[in-house]
Amino acid sequence: MIVAIDGPAASGKGTLAKRVATRFGLAHLDTGLLYRAVARDVRRRGQALDDPAAATAAAEGLDPQSLDDPALRDPELGNAASVVARIPEVRAAMLAYQRAFARRPEGAVLDGRDIGTVVCPEADVKLYVTATPEVRAERRYRELLGRGEQAVLAAVLDDIRRRDERDAGRDISPMRPAADAFLLDTSNLDIEAAFDTAVGVILRKTGQRGRA
Ligand code: CDP
């Protein structure tokens, strides 16, 4: 079984994807890490993020072993990632890795922006997780404070809005729900409620019986 979970920054899709993977015994890939890692590598080489040749070289040379680098979670890298993610050759280089991951025998959950539309259009279940920008900013803000980092709520909201615009407005693989995706608005749902809804959708779509 392949479960595709897409949605904007801080919508809760990452946490949801992890829990869904555990619940159904599936492997999980946070595809945002791929673009974050490309941005990290371009910077390490002292090159410009919007230089297509530099970003493409970093993408083609990406070491999947380096995806567990904790530095990839740096909030600032999210923005940098959205700059390299607009480059078609970067996306093309990421495609084979994501598809191979998805097709492993035990099945997989992938979360990102274009999983249901481009990476795995054949996914058994597609969820598109959203929440208002204000709710997402509040969540990200609390998450940052919880990690002992400094943050200003207005700046976090600004960052989320800019990133939404860049991700939804790009020409290639823009962030958008697949036509057959289930829309899960978590503005008024906590993680437990969102998880229960997601499990219910998966059980229904795959014809499985069971309790959430
Ligand atoms: O964790 P957060 O939602 O802040 O971001 P992320 O999922 O780590 O993604 C970082 C950036 O990578 C996004 O803003 C997108 O520009 C890009 N991305 C993408 O283009 N396609 C994906 N499948 C996943 C991420």
Side-chain angles (χ1 to χ4, degrees), residues 57-75:
E60 289 174 350
L62 185 69
D63 173 10
Q65 305 287 341
S66 73
L67 293 179
D68 49 18
D69 174 4
L72 291 180
R73 306 277 171 197
D74 185 332

Side-chain angles (χ1 to χ4, degrees), residues 9 13 31-32 36 82 85 91 113-114 140 163 167 170:
K13 64 184 187 312
T31 65
R36 286 171 178 261
S82 73
R91 304 201 72 86
R113 303 289 188 287
D114 63 339
R140 182 66 31 112
R163 201 126 66 88
D167 288 345
R170 68 183 172 219

Side-chain angles (χ1 to χ4, degrees), residues 7-20:
S11 56
K13 64 184 187 312
T15 310
L16 193 64
K18 250 184 241 131
R19 292 197 50 177
V20 164

Side-chain angles (χ1 to χ4, degrees), residues 111-183:
D111 74 271
R113 303 289 188 287
D114 63 339
I115 308 304
T117 50
V118 175
V119 178
C120 300
E122 79 288 11
D124 301 279
V125 185
K126 300 178 187 180
L127 301 171
Y128 192 84
V129 186
T130 55
T132 64
E134 290 75 15
V135 167
R136 290 186 281 127
E138 184 77 34
R139 283 185 193 150
R140 182 66 31 112
Y141 173 70
R142 288 180 192 284
E143 187 186 316
L144 291 170
L145 295 188
R147 292 210 308 242
E149 292 180 34
Q150 298 209 326
V152 175
L153 182 59
V156 176
L157 178 58
D158 207 51
D159 179 72
I160 280 187
R161 288 214 162 102
R162 259 185 304 141
R163 201 126 66 88
D164 282 358
E165 218 174 277
R166 202 179 280 150
D167 288 345
R170 68 183 172 219
D171 294 333
I172 179 158
S173 300
M175 169 177 78
R176 63 177 170 79
D180 52 348
F182 178 89
L183 300 183

